[in-house]
Amino acid sequence: MDEKMKKHRLTFAFVILFFIIFYVIIYNNKAATERSESSLVLEDFGGITMAVQSVEGTKITVHINYSADDPAIFGADYILEIKKGQRWYSLPVKDGIMFTSIGYQLKKGDSLPWSTDFEILYGKLSAGHYRIIKSFRIEPQQETSKEYFISAEFLIS
């Protein structure tokens, strides 16, 4: 088997593993009927930025810029949180929702918009200060991959 095929299989395996882990996180959030204080640690990874480009109705579009040397992978999954006072709280997810197992690869210099309709997962949002969180897996050539969570804040009025 050639090196390129091995790399593709490894990337596919990481994407599948990522979605299994994310499903467990969502499943645990479903058990809570109320918002729970966020325990997610957002790490600053200078090679990737995400900013909210627009919020129209229940559709949010973020713009992702990638400048690191090693490739990254991200999926369709995301988390929404609401800010109350100085703390962030995870929003409960509707029952029976799952993400598709899709993986997007980012290379140095990539810049792209990514959109989702949050009503499908979270319903209509009331007025407030929110943030969308996405995870990215960085895949260095000779090291173990690492997952980062980054966020972008937005308001619903």
Side-chain angles (χ1 to χ4, degrees), residues 8-26:
H8 284 291
R9 285 189 177 182
L10 182 61
T11 299
F12 180 75
F14 279 122
V15 169
I16 296 300
L17 178 62
F18 170 77
F19 285 110
I20 291 170
I21 292 169
F22 192 79
Y23 177 76
V24 169
I25 292 169
I26 288 175

Side-chain angles (χ1 to χ4, degrees), residues 51-63 113-116 118 132 152-156:
V52 172
Q53 193 171 18
S54 66
V55 179
E56 298 173 3
T58 60
K59 183 179 179 183
I60 184 168
T61 301
V62 296
H63 196 85
W114 178 86
S115 299
T116 190
F118 55 76
I132 184 169
E153 298 179 20
F154 62 99
L155 297 174
I156 301 282

